[in-house]
Amino acid sequence: MTRSHYILFAFLACVAALPLFGEAYALRLGTMACMYAVFALSWNIVGGFAGYPSFSTAAFFGLGAYSTGILMNKGVPLLVSVGVSLVFCLLLAAAFGAVLLRLRGHYFAIASLSLVEVFRELVNNATDLTGGGMGLNIPLVSGSSVMSDATFFFYAMWGLLLITAITVTIVATSKLGFGLNCIRQNETAASMVGLNATLYKAIAFGLSACFVGAAGGLYAAWVHYIDPSDVFDILYSVKPIVMALMGGLGSPLGVVFGAFLYLGLEEVVWRNYIQIHSGVLGVLIILLLLFLPHGLVSLRIEKIRQALFGRKASHV
C-alpha cells in the first residue's frame, strides 16, 4: 500500500465519525457522499485503470435498486437482498463486458450507454414484477425514529464504501491492476506478450458494476420508493466521470475526494441558485477542469514540488 492509500482510509475513518456530531440532514448528505464515492471508485476500475469510458453506471444502479426492491417485497432481509443484487450485477456485467469491451473508444462508450436504455425498457415492460412506470414501493426496514433510520443507512452506505475502497486498493496493487494499466497504455502490445485482455476487462467491468448495484439496493431501501426515471437517470452515469476527473483519474484517493467535492458544490449551488443550479454547477466544473486538468491529486503534488524546488531555487 502507498501513502495515498493510508490517507484514503484515514479519511474514511474520519467520515465514520459524522453521526457523533451531525444531525439528520448532515447524515443525509454523508450518505449521498458515500454513495457518490462508491460510484466514482467503481467507475475508476474500468475507466481509470483500464481506460475504457463506461457510461453504464446508471444501468447497474437501477438494476441493483430493482432487484433489491423486488426481493424485499417478497420478504427477503435487506442485507441478503443487497448481497444478491451485488452478485447478480457482478455476473451480468462480467458477461456483458466480455462482449462490449471488444469495442474501443467512443464505440464502447455508446454501447455502454445503451445498456441504460435497455434495462430501463425491460423494467418498464415487466409491469407485474416491477410496477412499470408506476414505480415500486419498498417496505420499511424498521419502524424506528428518523434519526436512527438516517444513522443506519449512513453506516450501511459507509460500510459499502469501505468495502469498495478495500477492493479497489487490492486491485490497484495486484496483478489485475498491473494488467489493466498495461491495457490502458497499449492493449495490442499487452495481448502480444500473453495478457488475457478479454478476461481482465470482463473482471474489471464486473467489479465496476457490482458495488454500484449494491448502492442501488441500499438507495431503494433508503427512499422506500423507486421508479425507472429516477434510478435509471443518465446523470448517474455522467457524475462518476466528472468526480473522477475532478479528483484525479486513476487515483482511488483522488476520486473519493472528487466525489465529496462534487456533492459539496452541488449542494451549495442548489441552495443559492435553485432556478439555474444545473448551469452554474456546469460552469464551475468546467472551470475546475480547465485550471486543474489532472484533479485534486495533481494540486497536492504540485504544492509539494513547489515547496521543495521553489525553496531550493531561492537559495541559489
Side-chain angles (χ1 to χ4, degrees), residues 53-200:
S54 172
F55 282 86
S56 63
T57 302
F60 294 103
F61 179 73
L63 201 63
Y66 267 97
S67 56
T68 299
I70 292 168
L71 288 172
M72 288 185 68
N73 279 332
K74 294 185 180 300
V76 180
L78 171 63
L79 291 180
V80 177
S81 302
V82 171
V84 171
S85 299
L86 187 149
V87 175
F88 176 54
C89 289
L90 171 68
L91 298 177
L92 190 65
F96 273 107
V99 178
L100 295 181
L101 286 161
R102 295 178 186 277
L103 304 172
R104 297 186 186 182
H106 52 276
Y107 295 104
F108 169 73
I110 294 171
S112 65
L113 183 63
S114 68
L115 283 180
V116 182
E117 291 304 317
V118 170
F119 290 165
R120 189 209 304 264
E121 287 303 315
L122 287 174
V123 168
N124 261 325
N125 287 290
T127 310
D128 294 339
L129 190 63
T130 65
M134 297 296 291
L136 185 70
N137 289 310
I138 315 294
L140 295 172
V141 175
S142 64
S144 53
S145 66
V146 173
M147 194 61 190
S148 61
D149 198 51
T151 305
F152 172 79
F153 281 104
F154 169 77
Y155 276 122
M157 200 65 82
W158 179 86
L160 178 62
L161 171 59
L162 182 64
I163 294 171
T164 310
I166 291 172
T167 305
V168 172
T169 301
I170 293 172
V171 169
T173 55
S174 67
K175 183 181 175 182
L176 174 61
F178 178 75
L180 294 175
N181 282 322
C182 292
I183 290 171
R184 186 188 70 241
Q185 292 172 16
N186 193 324
E187 185 173 343
T188 304
S191 298
M192 289 179 67
V193 297
L195 185 74
N196 190 340
T198 302
L199 176 64
Y200 276 54

Side-chain angles (χ1 to χ4, degrees), residues 189-262:
S191 298
M192 289 179 67
V193 297
L195 185 74
N196 190 340
T198 302
L199 176 64
Y200 276 54
K201 290 187 295 184
I203 295 173
F205 199 59
L207 289 174
S208 73
C210 65
F211 299 114
V212 170
L218 289 176
Y219 174 82
W222 182 31
V223 300
H224 310 308
Y225 170 81
I226 54 174
D227 66 70
S229 63
D230 176 21
V231 294
F232 289 105
D233 188 346
I234 195 62
L235 284 177
Y236 287 132
S237 289
V238 177
K239 286 179 180 179
I241 302 174
V242 176
M243 295 169 200
L245 291 173
M246 287 172 64
L249 198 61
S251 165
L253 175 63
V255 298
V256 170
F257 281 170
F260 278 73
L261 174 63
Y262 180 89

Side-chain angles (χ1 to χ4, degrees), residues 18-19 21-33 147 150 154 263:
L18 181 62
F21 52 86
E23 300 293 334
Y25 176 69
L27 291 181
R28 173 191 165 276
L29 289 181
T31 306
M32 288 297 294
M147 194 61 190
F154 169 77
L263 180 70

Side-chain angles (χ1 to χ4, degrees), residues 228-296:
S229 63
D230 176 21
V231 294
F232 289 105
D233 188 346
I234 195 62
L235 284 177
Y236 287 132
S237 289
V238 177
K239 286 179 180 179
I241 302 174
V242 176
M243 295 169 200
L245 291 173
M246 287 172 64
L249 198 61
S251 165
L253 175 63
V255 298
V256 170
F257 281 170
F260 278 73
L261 174 63
Y262 180 89
L263 180 70
L265 285 175
E266 190 179 54
E267 193 67 18
V268 170
V269 170
W270 186 84
R271 279 187 169 205
N272 294 283
Y273 306 97
I274 190 168
Q275 298 293 335
I276 54 171
H277 70 279
S278 295
V280 175
L281 183 62
V283 170
L284 286 176
I285 291 170
I286 290 171
L287 290 175
L288 270 173
L289 295 180
L290 278 175
F291 292 100
L292 205 59
H294 300 294
L296 297 173

